[in-house]
């Protein structure tokens, strides 16, 4: 059984009423209980998921945009994340099939999944995010709407994060091998393009020769090399 990524579980919790809370500095906790009347902080008698007793924890944000800015550079409480279920309020236990994953995370928005991509810590987690993202449609080629552009940006974020995580996990020898392979591929492409252009030039020179037109020196050289 694949364990859902912390990013998906955290964002699903927020989508189902939980809030991210914390002190001005320090770790970010997850709270699914009551809030003060103004909704800005956790009452003294309430505890986040980890049960820590601390001074008043304040709500860090309620929208995806708020969360992106509010927790930049901060880490999540490990205990809160460990105790957090796949989805608040019940739902699927073991996530085995694609339907299980969609049932657990199907209401996450494109913006949520874009953020989940940025929070992914492993290559496997990026594949989880991509799997859920596909419910919003395949990757657009030339989007013409704001929704399409947002979806394309989310797909690009997942792929970019995956590349970064893959590169970070490589050894120096593996990076050198990838670099050499890319250089060889680029050389092959350039050579193929050069041959393609030469072939077109030879065909044109042959047509001119058949029509009795004057051939320039470079055209005669092309025909001699054909």
């Amino acid at each position: 059984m694949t364990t859902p990524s912390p990013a998906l579980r955290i964002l699903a919790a927020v989508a189902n009423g939980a809030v991210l809370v914390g002190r001005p500095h320090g770790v970010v906790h997850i709270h699914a209980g009551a809030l003060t009347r103004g909704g800005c902080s956790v009452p003294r008698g309430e505890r986040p998921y980890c049960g820590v007793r601390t001074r008043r924890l304040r709500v860090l944000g309620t929208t995806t945009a708020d969360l992106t800015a509010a927790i930049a550079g901060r880490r999540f409480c490990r205990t809160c994340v460990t105790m957090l279920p796949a989805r608040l309020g019940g739902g699927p236990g073991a996530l085995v099939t694609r339907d299980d994953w969609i049932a657990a995370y199907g209401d996450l928005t494109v913006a949520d999944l874009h953020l989940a991509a940025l929070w992914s810590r492993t290559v496997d987690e990026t594949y989880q995010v991509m799997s859920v993202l596909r419910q919003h449609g395949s990757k657009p080629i030339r989007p013409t709407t704001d929704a399409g552009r947002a979806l394309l940006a989310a797909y690009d974020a997942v792929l970019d994060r995956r590349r970064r995580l893959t590169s970070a996990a490589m050894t120096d020898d593996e990076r050198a091998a990838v670099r050499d392979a890319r250089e060889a591929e680029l050389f092959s492409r350039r050579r193929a393009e050069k041959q393609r252009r030469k072939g077109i030039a030879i065909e044109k020179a042959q047509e001119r020769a058949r029509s009795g037109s004057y051939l320039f020196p470079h055209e005669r050289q092309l025909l001699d090399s054909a």
Side-chain angles (χ1 to χ4, degrees):
M1 180 183 67
T2 301
T3 302
S5 74
L8 288 176
R9 285 186 283 134
I10 292 167
L11 289 167
V14 172
N16 281 270
V19 291
L20 303 184
V21 298
R23 299 287 300 156
H25 304 285
V27 299
V28 177
H29 296 278
I30 303 163
H31 178 63
L35 297 174
T36 55
R37 182 174 299 179
C40 297
S41 59
V42 178
R44 294 188 183 279
E46 293 282 335
R47 298 285 179 266
Y49 251 88
C50 64
V52 66
R53 294 180 178 273
T54 183
R55 288 182 292 175
R56 178 159 295 184
L57 297 170
R58 297 195 174 277
V59 176
L60 299 177
T62 56
T63 68
T64 303
D66 292 339
L67 297 178
T68 302
I71 68 171
R74 302 172 70 169
R75 64 180 181 85
F76 287 99
C77 169
R78 291 182 180 179
T79 305
C80 280
V81 174
T82 299
M83 297 179 66
L84 193 64
R87 183 177 181 84
L88 293 183
L95 304 184
V96 179
T97 68
R98 176 171 171 75
D99 289 342
D100 293 337
W101 284 86
I102 297 304
Y105 304 115
D107 58 353
L108 292 183
T109 67
V110 171
D112 291 334
L113 295 167
H114 190 147
L115 185 55
L118 302 180
W119 287 356
S120 295
R121 307 164 306 169
T122 67
V123 171
D124 182 62
E125 289 179 6
T126 67
Y127 280 103
Q128 293 180 18
V129 175
M130 181 72 80
S131 178
V132 181
L133 182 61
R134 288 196 181 102
Q135 69 169 320
H136 293 282
S138 57
K139 183 178 179 180
I141 303 301
R142 296 181 181 86
T144 57
T145 64
D146 289 342
R149 285 186 283 271
L151 182 58
L152 176 60
Y155 270 101
D156 287 343
V158 176
L159 295 173
D160 180 67
R161 184 61 175 163
R162 185 180 301 161
R163 282 192 293 266
R164 291 176 181 273
L165 290 170
T166 300
S167 178
M170 287 181 177
T171 64
D172 291 341
D173 288 343
E174 288 172 334
R175 290 192 187 93
V178 170
R179 185 169 57 251
D180 291 344
R182 287 175 178 170
E183 290 176 353
E185 181 182 5
L186 180 59
F187 175 79
S188 296
R189 287 181 178 178
R190 288 174 175 171
R191 184 173 60 180
E193 177 63 16
K194 183 177 180 181
Q195 290 298 114
R196 186 186 71 83
R197 292 180 179 179
K198 182 179 179 180
I200 293 174
I202 289 174
E203 288 180 0
K204 290 182 178 180
Q206 289 172 337
E207 290 178 1
R208 286 171 56 81
R210 285 193 294 267
S211 66
S213 299
Y214 172 78
L215 295 180
F216 292 97
H218 74 276
E219 291 176 315
R220 289 195 292 271
Q221 288 177 358
L222 282 172
L223 294 178
D224 291 340
S225 68

